[in-house]
Amino acid sequence: MIAVEVKDLKKTYRVYRKREGLWASVRGLFRREYHQVHAVAGVSFQIEQGEMVAFLGPNGAGKTTTLKLLSGLIYPTAGEAKVLGFVPWKREIAYRRRFALVMGQKNQLWWDLPAQESFRLHKEIYRIDPADFDRRLDELTNLLEVRKLVGQPIRELSLGERMRMELIAALLHRPDLLLLDEPTIGLDVVSQRKVQDFLKFYQAEQKLTVLLTSHYMKDVQALCKRAIIINEGEIKHDGSLGEIVDRFSTYKVIELLFGGEARPEGLERFGEVFDDNFPRAKIKVPRNQVPEILSALLAEYTLDDVGVHDRPLEEAIAEIFTATKNPVAPEHAAVP
Ligand SMILES: Nc1ncnc2c1ncn2[C@@H]1O[C@H](COP(=O)(O)OP(=O)(O)O)[C@@H](O)[C@H]1O
Ligand SMILES: [Mg+2]
């Protein structure tokens, strides 16, 4: 079953263009200049129920705007979306009870209250059955290892602990769809890993549908098989993460550990040397030439060790962004 269906969705913001200087400011009082930002410029995709999909793209790509549209926080300029059978921006209460949005950069819990007070509020708002509430709270606080912290004011918690409380608040009403906007941003490695492990376990157990934006490729690689890549409001790729690597990583990295005393000469004949730290070196070589280059290297140098690696996913994705960069001319509109 399809959980999320988005068709040619667009969100255009009209922003006032600030001008430099006094005269420009005075003129601006009479004649404001606007330009349009195509935050989401016509995206279409579908997500199956129970799928966990990564939503990737550089800053300003349109990820948060898309998630806000799917949450019904903002109205689209054009296009359609059906989420769990609902049109999000109709803001039906029945829809509100079926999804949750967690934003890593925004607090939804009361700053001065202990998490448990906010949770109780959620219980009332979502009309969660008291027995279900107790059971879920117990389960979630255990899984996320914050059981002892629920009585402490949110402001006293670390960022990682706070984020885990946000997740609990989001999941108490058992949503079918979880929209996660940078849930691990700014977290230390340990917290990041805890959130990751939790999401992996909980998503599989609950068959949750998840759309996840993250800058951390580790999150994405640990959690998602499919990635939708957005840039400048448009979808640039939608497919398996492995496919991204296959399609775009035309290079591999050969790592060498030299056996001899002296730094070997002429390494650059074999490929781009990018990490030259004798006795180690890394060279970037075309994927389809790895066998030839490898045997040539072995014939030429005394090597203690050799390794062949895929390039990190970040690099493959960054390549997609640069390969498809097509600057959009801003539209001007002078409004009296
Ligand atoms: N409320 C707004 N008013 C004007 N422009 C906005 C607004 N929200 C987002 N934008 C612009 O829309 C584009 C996409 O933003 P966003 O969806 O937040 O990107 P991302 O989450 O991928 O970093 C950016 O250029 C951003 O500046
Ligand atoms: Mg964002």
Side-chain angles (χ1 to χ4, degrees), residues 75-96:
Y75 289 93
T77 309
E80 294 166 36
K82 260 279 172 62
V83 187
L84 308 168
F86 296 90
V87 175
W89 42 91
K90 283 191 179 163
R91 301 179 184 171
E92 288 162 86
I93 289 166
Y95 177 52
R96 243 187 34 201

Side-chain angles (χ1 to χ4, degrees), residues 210-282:
V210 181
L211 188 56
L212 163 82
T213 84
S214 179
H215 273 108
Y216 299 109
M217 288 306 146
K218 284 221 170 77
D219 283 353
V220 171
Q221 280 175 302
L223 298 170
C224 306
K225 289 195 187 76
R226 174 179 164 201
I228 298 174
I229 295 177
I230 184 172
N231 193 18
E232 292 171 337
E234 290 173 8
I235 290 177
K236 304 296 182 188
H237 175 92
D238 181 353
S240 75
L241 272 178
E243 203 181 295
I244 292 175
V245 177
D246 287 350
R247 235 176 92 189
F248 293 93
S249 88
T250 42
Y251 291 92
K252 284 209 169 216
V253 172
I254 298 182
E255 193 176 355
L256 306 165
L257 177 61
F258 295 103
E261 293 285 296
R263 192 192 171 285
E265 299 287 318
L267 201 55
E268 57 291 336
R269 283 175 294 144
F270 297 93
E272 185 191 323
V273 184
F274 67 93
D275 191 354
D276 196 357
N277 198 358
F278 184 78
R280 291 179 185 279
K282 283 183 187 166

Side-chain angles (χ1 to χ4, degrees), residues 13 15 37 39 58-65:
Y13 288 108
V15 288
V37 176
N59 272 329
K63 304 180 297 291
T64 299
T65 306

Side-chain angles (χ1 to χ4, degrees), residues 59-72:
N59 272 329
K63 304 180 297 291
T64 299
T65 306
T66 304
L67 296 188
K68 282 182 177 168
L69 286 164
L70 294 180
S71 310

